[in-house]
Amino acid sequence: MELDDLIKSFESDNRDKKQRFQEFCYHCWHVFEKKIKSCKTDKLINKYNTMRLKTLEYICANEQSITSKLSK
């Protein structure tokens, strides 16, 4: 999944930027968790685990730019 798709699928009524960012991180975790649970093979499970970790690392490293995209 691309980050833009995750941002588009995220909805929050919260106005606080920090809480909104935390909710977005949880949303990303949850989206990948659904994909992992739907997989049957270990290869796909490992692929989505790796994608989830790298995506969350990127999101945390670029918190300011992600927060500004979420506030639009």
Side-chain angles (χ1 to χ4, degrees):
M1 295 192 75
E2 290 189 26
L3 189 59
D4 292 334
D5 294 335
L6 289 170
I7 291 173
K8 287 179 184 176
S9 67
F10 175 70
E11 293 181 15
S12 177
D13 294 332
N14 203 338
R15 294 283 182 205
D16 185 27
K17 289 183 179 183
K18 288 212 179 247
Q19 284 186 340
R20 187 174 211 161
F21 179 75
Q22 290 173 350
E23 288 177 4
F24 178 69
C25 290
Y26 175 76
H27 170 72
C28 293
W29 180 271
H30 191 59
V31 166
F32 281 107
E33 189 67 26
K34 283 182 180 179
K35 289 201 175 277
I36 290 170
K37 287 186 178 185
S38 69
C39 294
K40 302 290 186 212
T41 62
D42 288 338
K43 187 175 182 179
L44 282 176
I45 291 172
N46 289 336
K47 174 186 168 185
Y48 285 124
N49 273 330
T50 304
M51 284 175 61
R52 175 173 58 187
L53 292 176
K54 289 186 182 215
T55 301
L56 288 173
E57 286 175 0
Y58 177 82
I59 289 170
C60 290
N62 297 296
E63 182 177 349
Q64 289 181 338
S65 64
I66 300 295
T67 304
S68 68
K69 287 181 182 180
L70 291 173
S71 63
K72 289 182 180 180

